[in-house]
Amino acid sequence: MEGLMEEAYCAAKELCSTAGLKAGQIMVVGCSTSEVVGSVIGTNSDTDAAGELYAGIAKALSECGVYLAAQCCEHLNRAIVVEREAVPGAEIVNVVPHKKAGGSFATAAYHSFINPVVVEEIRADAGLDIGNTLIGMHLKRVAVPVRLSVERIGKAFVVAARTRPKYIGGERARYG
C-alpha cells in the first residue's frame, strides 16, 4: 500500500506543477479504489487503499496550497466533498459519504478534512481521475488534457486535466 501513497503524491504534485496551480485553487479528484486494487469499478471499495491515496494527494496539495475536492461515486450523484473554506457561499447538501455510498476515497477525505462539506457541483481548476471515474462535470468549462509521467496508480489508469479561460472573439482577438 505504501507504493500507492507515493504514486498518488507524485501524480498530484506533477499536475499542480504542470497546470501552474496557485494557492487557493481547487483540484478535483475522482478515484475508484476498486480499480486501484485491480477489480472492476464499483465492486471492491477498499478503505485501506483510499487512506493511502488520500494521504499522498493531500500532502502534495497541501505543499501547493491547493484545495482537494473529492468526487463521490454515482450513488451520491458524483457530489463533491470539500473543505468549507474552499467554497464560501456554496449550497451544501445533507449527506455523509461512506464506503458503499460515496466511495472509500470521498469517505477518507470527509473524515480527514478539518471542516468538510458536501456540494452537488464545483468548477475546479484541475482534475485527477484515478480509475475512469469521469470527473469532467466538475471542471471549469475549457479542460485541457495533461499527460503525466504517472500513467497508473496501483492498477488504475490515471487521466489528468487542467483548465484555462475561454477564448472569445474569433480570429482577430488577442489572447493573453
Side-chain angles (χ1 to χ4, degrees):
M1 288 287 178
E2 194 168 302
L4 294 179
M5 184 187 308
E6 182 64 23
E7 290 170 354
Y9 172 84
C10 290
K13 190 74 172 184
E14 184 178 352
L15 181 54
C16 282
S17 175
T18 303
L21 294 180
K22 308 281 187 262
Q25 289 188 299
I26 298 173
M27 181 188 295
V28 64
V29 175
C31 178
S32 169
T33 58
S34 297
E35 291 277 334
V36 169
V37 299
S39 299
V40 174
I41 192 168
T43 64
N44 191 18
S45 193
D46 190 304
T47 56
D48 292 332
E52 294 296 313
L53 296 164
Y54 173 81
I57 292 167
K59 180 179 182 213
L61 298 188
S62 175
E63 291 172 1
C64 299
V66 171
Y67 288 105
L68 169 60
Q71 179 179 274
C72 294
C73 73
E74 76 275 8
H75 296 103
L76 294 184
N77 300 318
R78 303 208 187 286
I80 295 289
V81 178
V82 65
E83 288 284 6
R84 182 181 299 270
E85 70 181 35
V87 289
E91 185 175 346
I92 296 165
V93 296
N94 189 18
V95 68
V96 175
H98 62 88
K99 180 179 175 177
K100 293 292 184 182
S104 291
F105 182 77
T107 301
Y110 187 91
H111 291 295
S112 299
F113 284 168
I114 295 167
N115 193 2
V117 295
V118 180
V119 296
E120 284 188 277
E121 61 185 3
I122 199 164
R123 291 284 173 233
D125 303 288
L128 192 59
D129 186 324
I130 305 166
N132 302 317
T133 61
L134 303 176
I135 60 166
M137 64 190 286
H138 294 300
L139 292 171
K140 288 180 179 173
R141 291 285 178 223
V142 184
V144 179
V146 174
R147 291 197 184 262
L148 300 176
S149 61
V150 178
E151 295 178 345
R152 288 181 183 258
I153 295 178
K155 298 196 185 281
F157 290 106
V158 174
V159 177
R162 65 175 178 83
T163 62
R164 65 158 175 78
K166 295 177 185 179
Y167 292 149
I168 304 297
E171 65 184 69
R172 295 179 191 227
R174 296 183 188 259
Y175 304 112

